[in-house]
Amino acid sequence: MRLFPNPAGNGTLFFDNLTSPEGAAVAYDPGTQSFVCDAPFCANRDLIGCNWVSSAPGAICTACAMTTLSPDPSMPGVFENWAGAEAAKRWVLTNLRQWNWFCPDDTGPRPVFHMLAEGTRPVIMGHAEGVVTISIEEADHVLRTQRREALDERYRTMIGHMRHEIAHMLWWRLSILPDFLEAFRALFGDERSDYADALAKHYNDGPPGDWQDHFLTPYASAHPHEDWAETTAHLLHLVDLTDSFLAAGLSGPDLPVPAWDPYQEPDPSTMTSVAATIAVGINHVNRSMGLQDLYPFVLAEPSRRKLDFVHHWLRGGPSPGSA
């Protein structure tokens, strides 16, 4: 994620800022990819801390408008968790706009979000025909850590959930394109295989013993749809990790050029290799503080080929009429 000039004075703003260092109210304009202080603010600003601009006073922003089902406001902790989920959504949507997904020129459908609180009943996160269902409880760090450990996962964040579920929606849009499905099935397998049976087998038997040789995560081995979603999420992890590294003013000997932009890199292997090198370096730094690795995954050759495939289709942006 980029860093942004401060429209109210000196200094730099981060993507989630609501105020400038001087205390002036600011908001992010996704159209200009900049912060402003002289535009209408999202009507959800005071409710859930949304820091985007809106089209008119009293209106909600384009990101909040994608949420058509919001959580029950009477439930405990709902606004804090909802705010965290929406913040992750805005982050991922902004990443994807770098490749023209869901921007004004994209004529295809946007994802529709159902943001749900759990209470005594769990919410199953997922995607169905453009609708992304998210459990806002996962914005709670303690609960998310408990679930990560219970499921023996190496990484679990709200941004990760958003990338994974939006990836399913992107597959749904790409699947109507004439060359996509045949190429997808050649690499990921036939997604028409029974999904429910595949997940039941995964949860009963676990992943194959050699899953690391073929997949990025154990869950990716469950079904071609999940392999796509996990791979797409990881591509977005790696590109955004690299973009954020460069935005922070950091550098390294493996960058192709000093002003390199990972979103504009046409060669997926170059992008992945640079990102992996940066991730290994930051893993080393994290260990000096006794922290978990930033990116605790191994990129085997089959996984790299899948990352290349996703990069090709996402970087190309939405095709006219893709739905």
Side-chain angles (χ1 to χ4, degrees), residues 6-9 24-27 35-41 53:
N6 173 17
V26 296
F35 274 85
V36 298
C37 42
D38 57 354
F41 293 166
V53 301

Side-chain angles (χ1 to χ4, degrees), residues 133-209:
T133 300
I134 295 292
S135 168
I136 66 167
E137 309 299 319
E138 289 274 344
D140 180 88
H141 173 73
V142 173
L143 181 143
R144 192 172 64 251
T145 300
Q146 290 171 344
R147 292 181 178 176
R148 177 174 60 81
E149 294 180 353
L151 294 169
D152 194 25
E153 294 178 341
R154 306 188 74 182
Y155 170 84
R156 191 180 182 96
T157 70
M158 184 56 81
I159 283 180
H161 286 313
M162 287 290 176
R163 287 174 175 155
H164 178 101
E165 300 306 340
I166 293 173
H168 284 301
M169 193 270 183
L170 291 168
W171 187 95
W172 178 66
R173 284 191 54 177
L174 289 166
S175 65
I176 70 164
L177 300 181
D179 299 331
F180 177 79
L181 278 179
E182 183 178 353
F184 170 83
R185 289 168 184 162
L187 192 57
F188 288 83
D190 192 339
E191 84 290 349
R192 294 168 294 187
S193 61
D194 192 285
Y195 181 77
D197 286 351
L199 285 194
K201 184 178 187 304
H202 173 77
Y203 286 120
N204 287 334
D205 302 340

Side-chain angles (χ1 to χ4, degrees), residues 83-163:
E86 291 285 351
K89 181 180 80 176
R90 293 192 299 273
W91 188 289
V92 177
L93 291 174
T94 299
N95 292 157
L96 286 165
R97 283 176 69 104
Q98 302 303 313
W99 287 327
N100 297 319
W101 290 96
F102 314 130
C103 69
D105 293 335
D106 178 2
T107 59
R110 275 73 173 138
V112 171
F113 290 87
H114 290 176
M115 298 286 199
L116 304 179
E118 294 188 6
T120 58
R121 302 175 65 180
V123 170
I124 305 301
M125 290 194 274
H127 165 266
E129 297 184 343
V131 177
V132 173
T133 300
I134 295 292
S135 168
I136 66 167
E137 309 299 319
E138 289 274 344
D140 180 88
H141 173 73
V142 173
L143 181 143
R144 192 172 64 251
T145 300
Q146 290 171 344
R147 292 181 178 176
R148 177 174 60 81
E149 294 180 353
L151 294 169
D152 194 25
E153 294 178 341
R154 306 188 74 182
Y155 170 84
R156 191 180 182 96
T157 70
M158 184 56 81
I159 283 180
H161 286 313
M162 287 290 176
R163 287 174 175 155

Side-chain angles (χ1 to χ4, degrees), residues 8-311:
N10 297 321
T12 299
L13 298 183
F14 295 92
F15 183 68
D16 55 356
N17 275 136
L18 286 159
T19 59
S20 72
E22 301 87 355
V26 296
Y28 180 73
D29 181 347
T32 63
Q33 300 183 61
S34 64
F35 274 85
V36 298
C37 42
D38 57 354
F41 293 166
C42 178
N44 281 343
R45 186 180 180 94
D46 293 334
L47 183 69
I48 55 172
C50 179
N51 70 336
W52 278 26
V53 301
S54 65
S55 59
I60 58 175
C61 70
T62 55
C64 286
M66 294 181 185
T67 297
T68 62
L69 190 60
S70 55
D72 180 350
S74 68
M75 299 181 73
V78 67
F79 291 107
E80 182 178 0
N81 289 338
W82 185 16
E86 291 285 351
K89 181 180 80 176
R90 293 192 299 273
W91 188 289
V92 177
L93 291 174
T94 299
N95 292 157
L96 286 165
R97 283 176 69 104
Q98 302 303 313
W99 287 327
N100 297 319
W101 290 96
F102 314 130
C103 69
D105 293 335
D106 178 2
T107 59
R110 275 73 173 138
V112 171
F113 290 87
H114 290 176
M115 298 286 199
L116 304 179
E118 294 188 6
T120 58
R121 302 175 65 180
V123 170
I124 305 301
M125 290 194 274
H127 165 266
E129 297 184 343
V131 177
V132 173
T133 300
I134 295 292
S135 168
I136 66 167
E137 309 299 319
E138 289 274 344
D140 180 88
H141 173 73
V142 173
L143 181 143
R144 192 172 64 251
T145 300
Q146 290 171 344
R147 292 181 178 176
R148 177 174 60 81
E149 294 180 353
L151 294 169
D152 194 25
E153 294 178 341
R154 306 188 74 182
Y155 170 84
R156 191 180 182 96
T157 70
M158 184 56 81
I159 283 180
H161 286 313
M162 287 290 176
R163 287 174 175 155
H164 178 101
E165 300 306 340
I166 293 173
H168 284 301
M169 193 270 183
L170 291 168
W171 187 95
W172 178 66
R173 284 191 54 177
L174 289 166
S175 65
I176 70 164
L177 300 181
D179 299 331
F180 177 79
L181 278 179
E182 183 178 353
F184 170 83
R185 289 168 184 162
L187 192 57
F188 288 83
D190 192 339
E191 84 290 349
R192 294 168 294 187
S193 61
D194 192 285
Y195 181 77
D197 286 351
L199 285 194
K201 184 178 187 304
H202 173 77
Y203 286 120
N204 287 334
D205 302 340
D210 62 347
W211 68 265
Q212 284 186 305
D213 296 335
H214 305 280
F215 303 95
L216 280 164
T217 68
Y219 189 52
S221 69
H223 189 272
H225 273 311
E226 298 308 334
D227 195 7
W228 162 270
E230 289 287 88
T231 303
T232 301
H234 276 252
L235 177 71
L236 295 175
H237 297 338
L238 291 166
V239 179
D240 191 31
L241 180 159
T242 307
D243 191 44
S244 300
F245 176 89
L246 297 170
L250 302 174
S251 186
D254 296 299
L255 297 180
V257 293
W260 183 64
D261 181 350
Y263 282 101
Q264 299 304 314
E265 173 56 55
D267 178 35
S269 297
T270 297
M271 203 293 304
T272 302
S273 295
V274 173
T277 300
I278 291 171
V280 168
I282 299 178
N283 288 348
H284 180 63
V285 172
N286 275 15
R287 291 169 192 170
S288 73
M289 296 293 290
L291 298 175
Q292 176 184 327
D293 284 356
L294 175 76
Y295 188 74
F297 302 97
V298 176
L299 301 181
E301 184 57 33
S303 295
R304 286 179 177 266
R305 290 198 299 271
K306 293 172 187 176
L307 287 166
D308 290 354
F309 178 88
V310 175
H311 182 271

